[in-house]
Structure formats: C-alpha cells, structure tokens
Amino acid sequence: MQNNIIPTNQALTDSFSLKIPLAYCEVIDLRLTSLTCLYYESIDAHDSQLNPPKPLIFEKNGVKVRFSLCEIQIHDKEQNIKIPTKFVNLTVSAKLLYSNYFQGITKDNIYQIFSEFIKYDVIKVSFEHFKQGIISDVDVCFNRYINNELQFIDSCETLMSQTGIKSKWLKITNEPTNKGISFNRRDFATPSIPFIKIYHKELELLNNSTIFWNNYLFEKYGDHIKGLTRFEATIRNYKHKERLKKYGILDSFRTLDDYLQLPQNDLMKFCIFSINGYIETKARVKAPDLSPTDHIIFELLQNCIIKGYDFKHLEAICETFKGSTSESTKVAKSRIKKKIKDLFDLIIHKDLKLQTQASHNKHVLSYLEFLNFKY
C-alpha cells in the first residue's frame, strides 16, 4: 500500500455546515425565502396555514447540494443583547471536488467549492463573504488501510472493550455492505461525548455511494480502495470549539476562513483527542516485591501494554542501547532483553486480562497505532 495515491494518516476535512448572513446574499431563487403551504391536488385546494421555507436540495451523479434558511441568535456587543439573525445555511461536502474528493476541503481548493454553489443560481454572494460564514458540524477524517476484514472488526471490538461505562454510546456494525463502529449519534453528541465513526470506506463507496464512485472516482482510484477504512470525528458547535480550545487541541475559530488556517497536525490531534476521550484507564496490576529500579520498569511496561504495545515492540527498545564497545553493547542488550522478558511475563501472568490483551495487541496494533501518536 506504500504507493497508494489516497492520503493516509493525515487529517482531511470531509464536510461542514456554513451559515452566511442573509444580508450579504442576493437571493435569486425565491423559493429559498418563500413561505410554503400544502396543496391538495385531488381537490385543487391549498391549506391556509403557511409554513417556513423548505430547503432547496439538488442532486446529480451522487453529489448533493443543500441550501436552507435559518435564524439564530447573534450577540450584539454594542447593545449587549442577542438579535435574531437570518442566515443562508449551506451543507458543504468534499464530493463537490469530484475526482479530487480524497484531497479533502482546503484553503487551496475552497474557491472551487464556492463556485459550485454559485452555479445553482440560488444566491449571489462574494467569495469573501462566503469565507466569513460561520462554520459548524465539521467532519474531520483520515484514511487507513487494513490487511483483512478480521483485523478491522477485532480493532473495533478492542476499542469497544476499552470504553468502560461509555460503551453504551458505541455500536459495532458487521454486515456484508457496512462495517465499523460509531461513537454516539450525531444528533445526541456533546463536547465530552462527540460523534465519531470508524468505517469501511471501500464498502461505503461501493454500496452507498455507488453513483458518485462510478462517475468521479473509479477511473482514478479503482485500484486503490481495497481495504480502505476511514476515521471521522465531528466538531459540532461553539461549545465544542471552546472545549477544544480549553484543552489546547485547536485554536479558536468561528468562520470558514479561520478554520482553513488551522494546521493539519492540529486537526489530527483533534481526532486522536476525541477518541481517547472515550477510552478509560485500565485497572493496574499490583507490583510484587521488586527493587526500586525494577518497580519503575514494571510500571512503565504495564503502561505500554495497556496502550497497545506487544512484546516485540518492547524488545525493540533494547536495540537503541549503545555501549562503549561492541562487546559491552552485546552483553548489555542481552541483559536488558532478559529483564524486559522477565517483567513482561510477570505482568501478563498475574493478570489474565492483560495476558489476553498482550497476545491480541499484535493483531490490532498496526491498525490502532494512531492512538499512540505523540504531538
């Protein structure tokens, strides 16, 4: 998979909602702002009750574009009051990049996204006002490949097992056309229990996005989606943004332009932070009577096992040692390896759960290693 043209292990922006003040827009399609009523065709009559405007939804070749009108309270600093303000709400998706879908939405291609919305002749708005729109419900994702289906499902089950009482918010799906795990539901998400999903992107494209796949992606990516999976987390609203700022994950942002300036590494950090918020600290094995040095090594090894390291990865640490001579290096490495093996065996034999996890880690570690990224 090394030569794959689909970006992996880097954060991408898949979709978001964008609210542009109606005052900045010229409405071309008056259906956007018109009240609606029911029409009874069989009796050629209209309902007298008027309803709010309905969203305008356009779909072609698997790409859906949505315009709607909404009203939210905006704080006026001068008057220190909240004022009801009307906005045009756009649902923005990376699918509007068509064959460049896997690039994700960036500051380099946002003008193409803007141009696609303008083509529908629903509103006229300047590019600058478009970029100053308020952004929310941002789906940030990254792609990873699996070696086989079992590895993916086992990884999902491993995540489920590490969430403790929060597992009630998780759901694993293992169907022929849909595999993955979801954390919470989009509508119920809060800053502390956000919406996350890890899903089999290959299956999703071939079964749920078939028209889009066939029209825009098959020719370029047909040989590159085998075993493709995707992690996706949502930044929902203002309170969620404030929590991420409080924990030093993301700088504060309000507008689309603010968001597009965020470093890609920070968006990746958000993804890892989000899923780690569900993972509970495991119960620790009590250390037996050991020397102070061995006690420290014992505790550090236990940390590594809980975080997903197997014996092979721990043993590799020995190779970093360099002595004063080649002979002293060889002897010291041998002693270090024996020390690690003795303490590793002591840990996993004292606790059946850790023993099971240690043997299972080797199978899932290569997929879930992103949880151990350091920033």
Side-chain angles (χ1 to χ4, degrees), residues 317-335:
I317 297 172
C318 305
E319 300 304 320
T320 63
F321 179 80
K322 298 292 182 183
S324 57
T325 65
S326 59
E327 186 61 29
S328 64
T329 298
K330 182 178 179 180
V331 172
K333 283 183 178 181
S334 177
R335 289 176 178 173

Side-chain angles (χ1 to χ4, degrees), residues 241-253:
K241 297 174 190 176
E242 288 299 297
R243 185 174 193 268
L244 296 173
K245 178 184 176 183
K246 174 184 176 181
Y247 284 92
I249 305 301
L250 290 178
D251 289 340
S252 180
F253 66 93

